[in-house]
Amino acid sequence: MSQCILSQSSSLDDWLCYLESIHPANIEMGLTRVEKVAQQQGLLNLSSKIILIAGTNGKGTTARCLEAMLLAQGYSVGTYASPHIFHYNERVRINGNKLDDQEHVDAFHALEHGRGETTLTYFEYSTLAGLEIFKRHQVDYILLEVGLGGRLDATNIVSPIASVITTIDLDHKDYLGDTRELVGFEKAGIFRKDTPAIVGDLNIPQSVIDYGTKISANMILSGNDFKYLDHGSSFEWHYESNKIEYKQPAIPAQNIATALTTLKSLNLLPSDKIITQVIKTLKVEGRFECLSQSPLVYVDVAHNPESARYLAKQLQILKLKNYKINALVGMLEDKDQKAALSELTQVVDNWSIATLTCFRGAKNDVLAEKLSCLGINDAQKFASVDNALDNLLPKMQGTDKNGEKQLLIVFGSFYTVADAMLFLS
């Protein structure tokens, strides 16, 4: 174990570097260590009511929707999310706002002096620090995003008033399994007996239903107990006596329907006027976000097959409006690159690939090989996202010789999106 020489006057960056060094593994599944420290720090019996949110995709947008709906009703809300795009401070929000560095440093300092000889991973440390901050602020509600899976994730030490699974797909296969049934079982581990367990996935694995039934969770299932109907420019949400139509939001309607169902199950559903206003203004950074109108540039953190599938649907809508779709992709080396890229081959007209220079970043040659296996052999290769944008953006103005308007989508990773955001800022 590394010897800590940091104090409350040390910088947040120094603390983050230290956290990365104190445990031999980046990921170590299991609750024993993190639960022990949480018990010692008084973090297992908070006065705040906690909603746990798991899922392959959609956790961030569902949490943001729940956060906005609760804030609009006057509740105080703490939100824990990961990963961040630019700064660690993005991971913990109080009433929708990031906190200054010192709040995080104070939480880390308290944990360092309370954990004794117990080692924690970076994620476990940050999860407990988030709970420490929420304890100090005594928020009414805590929205806790699960990091990996659910059953053995550090967030699963709490006693939630509701557990939510947004979607279930293949990601982190080395840890969660290589079938949706296995992944579903891991995510269902956040369910609790006699407690609302809301599942927004449109094709729920039987393992999720079996686990919820076994422990007598109060399951509320998409397609059975609630549903949403997509009408293009609008969507309908149906649950119990509620049957309401809303204008199509900037984030997936499936996640909004899941959030609304969660609130309804807890008797926290706001008025229809508030719901309409929240949906109208709701957006989440890096989720099909428009960074520039001229040239037209979107970014999306899509990095697995399911999120790429949703991105393809969004791009198809613009393609039908006579846009030529140019894609710039950069991915991490441990993602299922071929499966994710295959979801977009029918909608993208021109491909560019960039090496991600971050830890675990995939080289452009690797992505080129994956695209070649999918029949794409003319992708342009660039040494970095910045290098790619330097070359691509000057060619994006106006229309081409066929009268098609130009659009660039930058996707594949939080790191890819962060690089694009910084370049265009």
PDB file of all heavy atoms in Angstrom, residues 296-298 315 319 323-329 347-352 380 392 395-396 400 404-411:
ATOM      1  N   LEU A 296     -21.562  21.596 -39.636  1.00  0.00           N
ATOM      2  CA  LEU A 296     -22.442  20.867 -38.729  1.00  0.00           C
ATOM      3  C   LEU A 296     -21.696  19.672 -38.132  1.00  0.00           C
ATOM      4  O   LEU A 296     -21.323  18.740 -38.846  1.00  0.00           O
ATOM      5  CB  LEU A 296     -23.691  20.391 -39.476  1.00  0.00           C
ATOM      6  CG  LEU A 296     -24.782  19.736 -38.621  1.00  0.00           C
ATOM      7  CD1 LEU A 296     -25.237  20.673 -37.503  1.00  0.00           C
ATOM      8  CD2 LEU A 296     -25.972  19.320 -39.489  1.00  0.00           C
ATOM      9  N   VAL A 297     -21.485  19.738 -36.800  1.00  0.00           N
ATOM     10  CA  VAL A 297     -20.720  18.696 -36.116  1.00  0.00           C
ATOM     11  C   VAL A 297     -21.488  18.225 -34.891  1.00  0.00           C
ATOM     12  O   VAL A 297     -21.892  19.034 -34.054  1.00  0.00           O
ATOM     13  CB  VAL A 297     -19.329  19.208 -35.673  1.00  0.00           C
ATOM     14  CG1 VAL A 297     -18.555  18.088 -34.965  1.00  0.00           C
ATOM     15  CG2 VAL A 297     -18.537  19.739 -36.855  1.00  0.00           C
ATOM     16  N   TYR A 298     -21.679  16.923 -34.811  1.00  0.00           N
ATOM     17  CA  TYR A 298     -22.280  16.294 -33.634  1.00  0.00           C
ATOM     18  C   TYR A 298     -21.227  15.402 -32.965  1.00  0.00           C
ATOM     19  O   TYR A 298     -20.317  14.896 -33.623  1.00  0.00           O
ATOM     20  CB  TYR A 298     -23.473  15.411 -34.016  1.00  0.00           C
ATOM     21  CG  TYR A 298     -24.750  16.153 -34.325  1.00  0.00           C
ATOM     22  CD1 TYR A 298     -24.991  16.665 -35.596  1.00  0.00           C
ATOM     23  CD2 TYR A 298     -25.736  16.323 -33.352  1.00  0.00           C
ATOM     24  CE1 TYR A 298     -26.166  17.335 -35.895  1.00  0.00           C
ATOM     25  CE2 TYR A 298     -26.928  16.988 -33.645  1.00  0.00           C
ATOM     26  CZ  TYR A 298     -27.128  17.493 -34.916  1.00  0.00           C
ATOM     27  OH  TYR A 298     -28.300  18.152 -35.201  1.00  0.00           O
ATOM     28  N   LEU A 315     -28.804   9.321 -36.937  1.00  0.00           N
ATOM     29  CA  LEU A 315     -28.145   9.754 -38.166  1.00  0.00           C
ATOM     30  C   LEU A 315     -29.010   9.472 -39.394  1.00  0.00           C
ATOM     31  O   LEU A 315     -29.006  10.238 -40.368  1.00  0.00           O
ATOM     32  CB  LEU A 315     -26.793   9.062 -38.308  1.00  0.00           C
ATOM     33  CG  LEU A 315     -25.733   9.461 -37.279  1.00  0.00           C
ATOM     34  CD1 LEU A 315     -24.498   8.580 -37.408  1.00  0.00           C
ATOM     35  CD2 LEU A 315     -25.347  10.939 -37.437  1.00  0.00           C
ATOM     36  N   LYS A 319     -29.940  11.779 -42.511  1.00  0.00           N
ATOM     37  CA  LYS A 319     -29.605  11.314 -43.857  1.00  0.00           C
ATOM     38  C   LYS A 319     -30.804  11.471 -44.790  1.00  0.00           C
ATOM     39  O   LYS A 319     -30.660  11.833 -45.965  1.00  0.00           O
ATOM     40  CB  LYS A 319     -29.157   9.853 -43.799  1.00  0.00           C
ATOM     41  CG  LYS A 319     -28.457   9.350 -45.064  1.00  0.00           C
ATOM     42  CD  LYS A 319     -27.994   7.924 -44.871  1.00  0.00           C
ATOM     43  CE  LYS A 319     -27.263   7.410 -46.099  1.00  0.00           C
ATOM     44  NZ  LYS A 319     -25.905   7.983 -46.209  1.00  0.00           N
ATOM     45  N   TYR A 323     -28.542  14.896 -45.837  1.00  0.00           N
ATOM     46  CA  TYR A 323     -27.214  15.115 -45.275  1.00  0.00           C
ATOM     47  C   TYR A 323     -26.302  13.957 -45.636  1.00  0.00           C
ATOM     48  O   TYR A 323     -26.707  12.790 -45.569  1.00  0.00           O
ATOM     49  CB  TYR A 323     -27.273  15.230 -43.744  1.00  0.00           C
ATOM     50  CG  TYR A 323     -27.705  16.591 -43.257  1.00  0.00           C
ATOM     51  CD1 TYR A 323     -29.034  16.829 -42.900  1.00  0.00           C
ATOM     52  CD2 TYR A 323     -26.786  17.631 -43.153  1.00  0.00           C
ATOM     53  CE1 TYR A 323     -29.432  18.080 -42.444  1.00  0.00           C
ATOM     54  CE2 TYR A 323     -27.183  18.873 -42.701  1.00  0.00           C
ATOM     55  CZ  TYR A 323     -28.497  19.096 -42.359  1.00  0.00           C
ATOM     56  OH  TYR A 323     -28.896  20.338 -41.917  1.00  0.00           O
ATOM     57  N   LYS A 324     -25.084  14.281 -46.031  1.00  0.00           N
ATOM     58  CA  LYS A 324     -24.058  13.263 -46.206  1.00  0.00           C
ATOM     59  C   LYS A 324     -23.386  13.055 -44.852  1.00  0.00           C
ATOM     60  O   LYS A 324     -22.932  14.010 -44.221  1.00  0.00           O
ATOM     61  CB  LYS A 324     -23.020  13.692 -47.242  1.00  0.00           C
ATOM     62  CG  LYS A 324     -21.851  12.706 -47.361  1.00  0.00           C
ATOM     63  CD  LYS A 324     -20.916  13.073 -48.490  1.00  0.00           C
ATOM     64  CE  LYS A 324     -21.493  12.599 -49.823  1.00  0.00           C
ATOM     65  NZ  LYS A 324     -20.506  12.758 -50.928  1.00  0.00           N
ATOM     66  N   ILE A 325     -23.329  11.812 -44.402  1.00  0.00           N
ATOM     67  CA  ILE A 325     -22.830  11.508 -43.067  1.00  0.00           C
ATOM     68  C   ILE A 325     -21.345  11.155 -43.124  1.00  0.00           C
ATOM     69  O   ILE A 325     -20.941  10.127 -43.675  1.00  0.00           O
ATOM     70  CB  ILE A 325     -23.603  10.342 -42.427  1.00  0.00           C
ATOM     71  CG1 ILE A 325     -25.118  10.582 -42.507  1.00  0.00           C
ATOM     72  CG2 ILE A 325     -23.142  10.142 -40.982  1.00  0.00           C
ATOM     73  CD1 ILE A 325     -25.597  11.816 -41.803  1.00  0.00           C
ATOM     74  N   ASN A 326     -20.522  12.046 -42.557  1.00  0.00           N
ATOM     75  CA  ASN A 326     -19.092  11.801 -42.405  1.00  0.00           C
ATOM     76  C   ASN A 326     -18.836  11.419 -40.945  1.00  0.00           C
ATOM     77  O   ASN A 326     -19.319  12.097 -40.039  1.00  0.00           O
ATOM     78  CB  ASN A 326     -18.289  13.057 -42.743  1.00  0.00           C
ATOM     79  CG  ASN A 326     -18.577  13.545 -44.157  1.00  0.00           C
ATOM     80  OD1 ASN A 326     -18.038  13.016 -45.104  1.00  0.00           O
ATOM     81  ND2 ASN A 326     -19.441  14.549 -44.281  1.00  0.00           N
ATOM     82  N   ALA A 327     -18.123  10.335 -40.721  1.00  0.00           N
ATOM     83  CA  ALA A 327     -17.885   9.874 -39.357  1.00  0.00           C
ATOM     84  C   ALA A 327     -16.406   9.899 -39.023  1.00  0.00           C
ATOM     85  O   ALA A 327     -15.558   9.509 -39.832  1.00  0.00           O
ATOM     86  CB  ALA A 327     -18.421   8.458 -39.180  1.00  0.00           C
ATOM     87  N   LEU A 328     -16.111  10.378 -37.817  1.00  0.00           N
ATOM     88  CA  LEU A 328     -14.771  10.294 -37.246  1.00  0.00           C
ATOM     89  C   LEU A 328     -14.887   9.478 -35.974  1.00  0.00           C
ATOM     90  O   LEU A 328     -15.608   9.854 -35.054  1.00  0.00           O
ATOM     91  CB  LEU A 328     -14.219  11.685 -36.936  1.00  0.00           C
ATOM     92  CG  LEU A 328     -12.939  11.728 -36.081  1.00  0.00           C
ATOM     93  CD1 LEU A 328     -11.791  10.996 -36.780  1.00  0.00           C
ATOM     94  CD2 LEU A 328     -12.549  13.177 -35.786  1.00  0.00           C
ATOM     95  N   VAL A 329     -14.180   8.351 -35.919  1.00  0.00           N
ATOM     96  CA  VAL A 329     -14.304   7.457 -34.777  1.00  0.00           C
ATOM     97  C   VAL A 329     -12.948   7.211 -34.127  1.00  0.00           C
ATOM     98  O   VAL A 329     -11.927   7.079 -34.803  1.00  0.00           O
ATOM     99  CB  VAL A 329     -14.956   6.115 -35.196  1.00  0.00           C
ATOM    100  CG1 VAL A 329     -14.163   5.418 -36.280  1.00  0.00           C
ATOM    101  CG2 VAL A 329     -15.135   5.196 -33.998  1.00  0.00           C
ATOM    102  N   VAL A 347     -25.244   3.620 -42.666  1.00  0.00           N
ATOM    103  CA  VAL A 347     -25.677   5.023 -42.623  1.00  0.00           C
ATOM    104  C   VAL A 347     -24.530   6.003 -42.866  1.00  0.00           C
ATOM    105  O   VAL A 347     -24.755   7.128 -43.328  1.00  0.00           O
ATOM    106  CB  VAL A 347     -26.374   5.327 -41.272  1.00  0.00           C
ATOM    107  CG1 VAL A 347     -25.384   5.330 -40.130  1.00  0.00           C
ATOM    108  CG2 VAL A 347     -27.129   6.639 -41.325  1.00  0.00           C
ATOM    109  N   VAL A 348     -23.292   5.584 -42.602  1.00  0.00           N
ATOM    110  CA  VAL A 348     -22.138   6.482 -42.777  1.00  0.00           C
ATOM    111  C   VAL A 348     -21.661   6.430 -44.227  1.00  0.00           C
ATOM    112  O   VAL A 348     -21.474   5.353 -44.800  1.00  0.00           O
ATOM    113  CB  VAL A 348     -20.995   6.095 -41.819  1.00  0.00           C
ATOM    114  CG1 VAL A 348     -19.722   6.875 -42.144  1.00  0.00           C
ATOM    115  CG2 VAL A 348     -21.416   6.350 -40.371  1.00  0.00           C
ATOM    116  N   ASP A 349     -21.426   7.613 -44.814  1.00  0.00           N
ATOM    117  CA  ASP A 349     -20.952   7.697 -46.205  1.00  0.00           C
ATOM    118  C   ASP A 349     -19.431   7.699 -46.290  1.00  0.00           C
ATOM    119  O   ASP A 349     -18.856   7.064 -47.169  1.00  0.00           O
ATOM    120  CB  ASP A 349     -21.505   8.982 -46.850  1.00  0.00           C
ATOM    121  CG  ASP A 349     -23.023   8.977 -46.936  1.00  0.00           C
ATOM    122  OD1 ASP A 349     -23.566   8.095 -47.619  1.00  0.00           O
ATOM    123  OD2 ASP A 349     -23.651   9.845 -46.294  1.00  0.00           O
ATOM    124  N   ASN A 350     -18.780   8.450 -45.397  1.00  0.00           N
ATOM    125  CA  ASN A 350     -17.319   8.551 -45.411  1.00  0.00           C
ATOM    126  C   ASN A 350     -16.775   8.312 -44.002  1.00  0.00           C
ATOM    127  O   ASN A 350     -17.256   8.908 -43.038  1.00  0.00           O
ATOM    128  CB  ASN A 350     -16.865   9.937 -45.892  1.00  0.00           C
ATOM    129  CG  ASN A 350     -17.270  10.203 -47.329  1.00  0.00           C
ATOM    130  OD1 ASN A 350     -17.070   9.368 -48.207  1.00  0.00           O
ATOM    131  ND2 ASN A 350     -17.855  11.372 -47.573  1.00  0.00           N
ATOM    132  N   TRP A 351     -15.750   7.455 -43.914  1.00  0.00           N
ATOM    133  CA  TRP A 351     -15.178   7.108 -42.619  1.00  0.00           C
ATOM    134  C   TRP A 351     -13.796   7.730 -42.437  1.00  0.00           C
ATOM    135  O   TRP A 351     -12.982   7.732 -43.343  1.00  0.00           O
ATOM    136  CB  TRP A 351     -15.022   5.597 -42.491  1.00  0.00           C
ATOM    137  CG  TRP A 351     -16.304   4.862 -42.252  1.00  0.00           C
ATOM    138  CD1 TRP A 351     -17.133   4.329 -43.205  1.00  0.00           C
ATOM    139  CD2 TRP A 351     -16.903   4.562 -40.994  1.00  0.00           C
ATOM    140  NE1 TRP A 351     -18.210   3.715 -42.613  1.00  0.00           N
ATOM    141  CE2 TRP A 351     -18.095   3.844 -41.249  1.00  0.00           C
ATOM    142  CE3 TRP A 351     -16.546   4.828 -39.668  1.00  0.00           C
ATOM    143  CZ2 TRP A 351     -18.926   3.387 -40.231  1.00  0.00           C
ATOM    144  CZ3 TRP A 351     -17.384   4.373 -38.651  1.00  0.00           C
ATOM    145  CH2 TRP A 351     -18.559   3.668 -38.938  1.00  0.00           C
ATOM    146  N   SER A 352     -13.561   8.223 -41.218  1.00  0.00           N
ATOM    147  CA  SER A 352     -12.226   8.636 -40.787  1.00  0.00           C
ATOM    148  C   SER A 352     -11.985   8.015 -39.423  1.00  0.00           C
ATOM    149  O   SER A 352     -12.915   7.897 -38.609  1.00  0.00           O
ATOM    150  CB  SER A 352     -12.110  10.158 -40.690  1.00  0.00           C
ATOM    151  OG  SER A 352     -12.294  10.765 -41.951  1.00  0.00           O
ATOM    152  N   GLN A 380     -10.038   7.134 -43.961  1.00  0.00           N
ATOM    153  CA  GLN A 380      -8.851   7.955 -43.758  1.00  0.00           C
ATOM    154  C   GLN A 380      -8.330   7.743 -42.333  1.00  0.00           C
ATOM    155  O   GLN A 380      -9.109   7.701 -41.385  1.00  0.00           O
ATOM    156  CB  GLN A 380      -9.180   9.439 -43.941  1.00  0.00           C
ATOM    157  CG  GLN A 380      -9.633   9.826 -45.328  1.00  0.00           C
ATOM    158  CD  GLN A 380      -9.819  11.337 -45.423  1.00  0.00           C
ATOM    159  OE1 GLN A 380      -8.863  12.106 -45.534  1.00  0.00           O
ATOM    160  NE2 GLN A 380     -11.064  11.775 -45.367  1.00  0.00           N
ATOM    161  N   LEU A 392     -10.393  17.599 -41.595  1.00  0.00           N
ATOM    162  CA  LEU A 392     -11.757  17.355 -42.070  1.00  0.00           C
ATOM    163  C   LEU A 392     -12.637  18.600 -42.091  1.00  0.00           C
ATOM    164  O   LEU A 392     -13.414  18.803 -43.023  1.00  0.00           O
ATOM    165  CB  LEU A 392     -12.424  16.289 -41.198  1.00  0.00           C
ATOM    166  CG  LEU A 392     -11.808  14.890 -41.241  1.00  0.00           C
ATOM    167  CD1 LEU A 392     -12.462  13.990 -40.191  1.00  0.00           C
ATOM    168  CD2 LEU A 392     -11.955  14.285 -42.627  1.00  0.00           C
ATOM    169  N   LYS A 395     -13.182  21.012 -45.083  1.00  0.00           N
ATOM    170  CA  LYS A 395     -13.881  20.424 -46.233  1.00  0.00           C
ATOM    171  C   LYS A 395     -15.374  20.252 -45.985  1.00  0.00           C
ATOM    172  O   LYS A 395     -16.087  19.733 -46.847  1.00  0.00           O
ATOM    173  CB  LYS A 395     -13.271  19.047 -46.552  1.00  0.00           C
ATOM    174  CG  LYS A 395     -11.769  19.070 -46.774  1.00  0.00           C
ATOM    175  CD  LYS A 395     -11.205  17.657 -46.845  1.00  0.00           C
ATOM    176  CE  LYS A 395      -9.684  17.678 -46.919  1.00  0.00           C
ATOM    177  NZ  LYS A 395      -9.102  16.312 -46.881  1.00  0.00           N
ATOM    178  N   MET A 396     -15.832  20.697 -44.834  1.00  0.00           N
ATOM    179  CA  MET A 396     -17.209  20.428 -44.426  1.00  0.00           C
ATOM    180  C   MET A 396     -18.193  21.542 -44.758  1.00  0.00           C
ATOM    181  O   MET A 396     -19.379  21.419 -44.481  1.00  0.00           O
ATOM    182  CB  MET A 396     -17.247  20.190 -42.909  1.00  0.00           C
ATOM    183  CG  MET A 396     -16.575  18.929 -42.454  1.00  0.00           C
ATOM    184  SD  MET A 396     -17.545  17.470 -42.861  1.00  0.00           S
ATOM    185  CE  MET A 396     -19.032  17.821 -41.973  1.00  0.00           C
ATOM    186  N   ASP A 400     -22.066  19.393 -51.277  1.00  0.00           N
ATOM    187  CA  ASP A 400     -21.168  18.798 -52.259  1.00  0.00           C
ATOM    188  C   ASP A 400     -21.757  18.955 -53.654  1.00  0.00           C
ATOM    189  O   ASP A 400     -22.806  19.584 -53.851  1.00  0.00           O
ATOM    190  CB  ASP A 400     -20.878  17.336 -51.921  1.00  0.00           C
ATOM    191  CG  ASP A 400     -22.113  16.446 -52.059  1.00  0.00           C
ATOM    192  OD1 ASP A 400     -23.166  16.928 -52.540  1.00  0.00           O
ATOM    193  OD2 ASP A 400     -22.024  15.260 -51.702  1.00  0.00           O
ATOM    194  N   GLU A 404     -25.785  17.568 -51.582  1.00  0.00           N
ATOM    195  CA  GLU A 404     -25.949  17.039 -50.234  1.00  0.00           C
ATOM    196  C   GLU A 404     -25.234  17.935 -49.220  1.00  0.00           C
ATOM    197  O   GLU A 404     -24.122  18.397 -49.459  1.00  0.00           O
ATOM    198  CB  GLU A 404     -25.385  15.625 -50.144  1.00  0.00           C
ATOM    199  CG  GLU A 404     -26.215  14.584 -50.862  1.00  0.00           C
ATOM    200  CD  GLU A 404     -25.631  13.196 -50.702  1.00  0.00           C
ATOM    201  OE1 GLU A 404     -24.438  13.011 -50.977  1.00  0.00           O
ATOM    202  OE2 GLU A 404     -26.377  12.290 -50.300  1.00  0.00           O
ATOM    203  N   LYS A 405     -25.894  18.166 -48.100  1.00  0.00           N
ATOM    204  CA  LYS A 405     -25.293  18.939 -47.022  1.00  0.00           C
ATOM    205  C   LYS A 405     -24.349  18.036 -46.225  1.00  0.00           C
ATOM    206  O   LYS A 405     -24.546  16.833 -46.138  1.00  0.00           O
ATOM    207  CB  LYS A 405     -26.396  19.502 -46.115  1.00  0.00           C
ATOM    208  CG  LYS A 405     -27.315  20.491 -46.813  1.00  0.00           C
ATOM    209  CD  LYS A 405     -28.536  20.831 -45.973  1.00  0.00           C
ATOM    210  CE  LYS A 405     -29.559  19.699 -45.985  1.00  0.00           C
ATOM    211  NZ  LYS A 405     -30.832  20.078 -45.313  1.00  0.00           N
ATOM    212  N   GLN A 406     -23.331  18.653 -45.632  1.00  0.00           N
ATOM    213  CA  GLN A 406     -22.293  17.888 -44.946  1.00  0.00           C
ATOM    214  C   GLN A 406     -22.540  17.851 -43.434  1.00  0.00           C
ATOM    215  O   GLN A 406     -22.898  18.863 -42.813  1.00  0.00           O
ATOM    216  CB  GLN A 406     -20.920  18.515 -45.207  1.00  0.00           C
ATOM    217  CG  GLN A 406     -20.526  18.571 -46.670  1.00  0.00           C
ATOM    218  CD  GLN A 406     -20.211  17.197 -47.225  1.00  0.00           C
ATOM    219  OE1 GLN A 406     -19.489  16.412 -46.608  1.00  0.00           O
ATOM    220  NE2 GLN A 406     -20.751  16.892 -48.393  1.00  0.00           N
ATOM    221  N   LEU A 407     -22.350  16.685 -42.848  1.00  0.00           N
ATOM    222  CA  LEU A 407     -22.466  16.515 -41.405  1.00  0.00           C
ATOM    223  C   LEU A 407     -21.316  15.631 -40.939  1.00  0.00           C
ATOM    224  O   LEU A 407     -20.985  14.628 -41.581  1.00  0.00           O
ATOM    225  CB  LEU A 407     -23.806  15.858 -41.055  1.00  0.00           C
ATOM    226  CG  LEU A 407     -24.108  15.539 -39.580  1.00  0.00           C
ATOM    227  CD1 LEU A 407     -25.620  15.562 -39.349  1.00  0.00           C
ATOM    228  CD2 LEU A 407     -23.558  14.180 -39.128  1.00  0.00           C
ATOM    229  N   LEU A 408     -20.713  15.997 -39.807  1.00  0.00           N
ATOM    230  CA  LEU A 408     -19.662  15.186 -39.211  1.00  0.00           C
ATOM    231  C   LEU A 408     -20.129  14.696 -37.855  1.00  0.00           C
ATOM    232  O   LEU A 408     -20.527  15.483 -36.994  1.00  0.00           O
ATOM    233  CB  LEU A 408     -18.366  15.987 -39.040  1.00  0.00           C
ATOM    234  CG  LEU A 408     -17.205  15.243 -38.364  1.00  0.00           C
ATOM    235  CD1 LEU A 408     -16.745  14.073 -39.228  1.00  0.00           C
ATOM    236  CD2 LEU A 408     -16.045  16.184 -38.082  1.00  0.00           C
ATOM    237  N   ILE A 409     -20.088  13.381 -37.648  1.00  0.00           N
ATOM    238  CA  ILE A 409     -20.365  12.805 -36.342  1.00  0.00           C
ATOM    239  C   ILE A 409     -19.051  12.261 -35.773  1.00  0.00           C
ATOM    240  O   ILE A 409     -18.347  11.486 -36.428  1.00  0.00           O
ATOM    241  CB  ILE A 409     -21.439  11.696 -36.422  1.00  0.00           C
ATOM    242  CG1 ILE A 409     -21.637  11.013 -35.054  1.00  0.00           C
ATOM    243  CG2 ILE A 409     -21.096  10.649 -37.489  1.00  0.00           C
ATOM    244  CD1 ILE A 409     -22.237  11.886 -34.001  1.00  0.00           C
ATOM    245  N   VAL A 410     -18.711  12.704 -34.575  1.00  0.00           N
ATOM    246  CA  VAL A 410     -17.502  12.256 -33.887  1.00  0.00           C
ATOM    247  C   VAL A 410     -17.954  11.368 -32.726  1.00  0.00           C
ATOM    248  O   VAL A 410     -18.715  11.814 -31.866  1.00  0.00           O
ATOM    249  CB  VAL A 410     -16.678  13.441 -33.351  1.00  0.00           C
ATOM    250  CG1 VAL A 410     -15.371  12.958 -32.749  1.00  0.00           C
ATOM    251  CG2 VAL A 410     -16.420  14.461 -34.464  1.00  0.00           C
ATOM    252  N   PHE A 411     -17.494  10.121 -32.696  1.00  0.00           N
ATOM    253  CA  PHE A 411     -18.019   9.196 -31.693  1.00  0.00           C
ATOM    254  C   PHE A 411     -16.993   8.116 -31.339  1.00  0.00           C
ATOM    255  O   PHE A 411     -15.900   8.062 -31.903  1.00  0.00           O
ATOM    256  CB  PHE A 411     -19.305   8.532 -32.208  1.00  0.00           C
ATOM    257  CG  PHE A 411     -19.075   7.440 -33.220  1.00  0.00           C
ATOM    258  CD1 PHE A 411     -19.081   6.100 -32.836  1.00  0.00           C
ATOM    259  CD2 PHE A 411     -18.839   7.739 -34.554  1.00  0.00           C
ATOM    260  CE1 PHE A 411     -18.863   5.084 -33.754  1.00  0.00           C
ATOM    261  CE2 PHE A 411     -18.624   6.733 -35.486  1.00  0.00           C
ATOM    262  CZ  PHE A 411     -18.629   5.404 -35.083  1.00  0.00           C
TER     263      PHE A 411
END
